[in-house]
Amino acid sequence: MKTFQFGPWKIAASEIFYVSKLSLGLVNYKPVVPVFTPDVLVLARRVVPRFADLTSEEVTDLYASAHAIAKVVEPHYAAESLTITLQDGPQAGQTVPHVHVHVIPRRKGDWADNDDIYDEINRKEKQMNEAMASTTPGETDEAAKAKPAVDNDERQPRTQEDMAQEATVLRKLFQQGEDIWS
């Protein structure tokens, strides 16, 4: 199976639902708002740690991709709004050294204080980084479930199978720039 890089981590093509010339859309291993819907990530295909390191063409493609993805995921998940955010550098909460945008479907009341989502994003970024360090693309669900949880709450990281199923559904909603799944 073809893999791609997300910072130091390998991402299986099965987790990817959107492909453009310079960007990828993938499902999130540890969603920020798991109550009603997972969020997605949009990243530059080239591993670039900081926003200023992207070329102008990559910036244009990254945000055009985030725009295209946002237009689809909001109605697909019956959301009422979106939080779209990029953390640029460790002091901004970025834990995976690869430029990526969070596209997070939102509903009224998902947080008591709307700004609490940013603390949650920071927490989930750290958890995702830790969890991805302990997984292997294509790992069986049984092996993934046997690993310890990445945080102290009751939610387990998503399995490769769950992420592949979600990506397959989303993939059908987009015109792809390249077929990476054949």
Side-chain angles (χ1 to χ4, degrees):
M1 175 183 293
K2 190 170 185 175
T3 60
F4 295 84
Q5 289 297 126
F6 179 34
W9 318 119
K10 291 198 182 301
I11 301 296
S14 62
E15 298 170 52
I16 296 169
F17 66 87
Y18 179 89
V19 177
S20 71
K21 180 180 175 187
L22 300 172
S23 302
L24 300 171
L26 60 126
V27 297
N28 199 346
Y29 181 70
K30 190 85 173 187
V32 175
V33 189
V35 176
F36 71 91
T37 184
D39 55 282
V40 297
L41 303 175
V42 186
L43 56 124
R45 287 178 84 155
R46 183 170 66 98
V47 178
V48 178
R50 298 294 307 275
F51 185 75
D53 298 329
L54 293 171
T55 67
S56 294
E57 186 179 16
E58 287 171 321
V59 169
T60 299
D61 191 85
L62 181 72
Y63 278 100
S65 296
H67 180 252
I69 290 167
K71 288 192 323 186
V72 171
V73 299
E74 183 175 356
H76 177 74
Y77 290 119
E80 299 167 358
S81 299
L82 297 169
T83 293
I84 300 172
T85 186
L86 182 150
Q87 296 159 296
D88 188 31
Q91 284 65 42
Q94 180 187 23
T95 60
V96 178
H98 189 148
V99 174
H100 61 286
V101 176
H102 289 261
V103 179
I104 306 169
R106 302 287 306 274
R107 289 189 183 154
K108 185 176 182 175
D110 53 12
W111 270 275
D113 178 353
N114 191 51
D115 286 343
D116 288 346
I117 190 170
Y118 300 106
D119 292 334
E120 189 69 8
I121 291 168
N122 288 337
R123 191 170 75 86
K124 295 301 181 198
E125 278 275 316
K126 290 176 185 171
Q127 292 171 359
M128 181 178 63
N129 198 19
E130 293 166 2
M132 290 176 72
S134 67
T135 62
T136 306
E139 177 175 62
T140 66
D141 287 345
E142 292 75 27
K145 288 176 186 172
K147 291 185 177 180
V150 296
D151 55 22
N152 293 324
D153 66 18
E154 67 281 355
R155 282 188 316 104
Q156 297 290 315
R158 299 171 70 203
T159 65
Q160 292 291 324
E161 181 179 279
D162 288 343
M163 292 187 296
Q165 288 174 351
E166 180 190 354
T168 297
V169 169
L170 289 173
R171 194 174 302 133
K172 295 173 185 174
L173 305 175
F174 296 95
Q175 181 175 353
Q176 304 298 333
E178 174 187 350
D179 181 3
I180 62 168
W181 304 280
S182 298

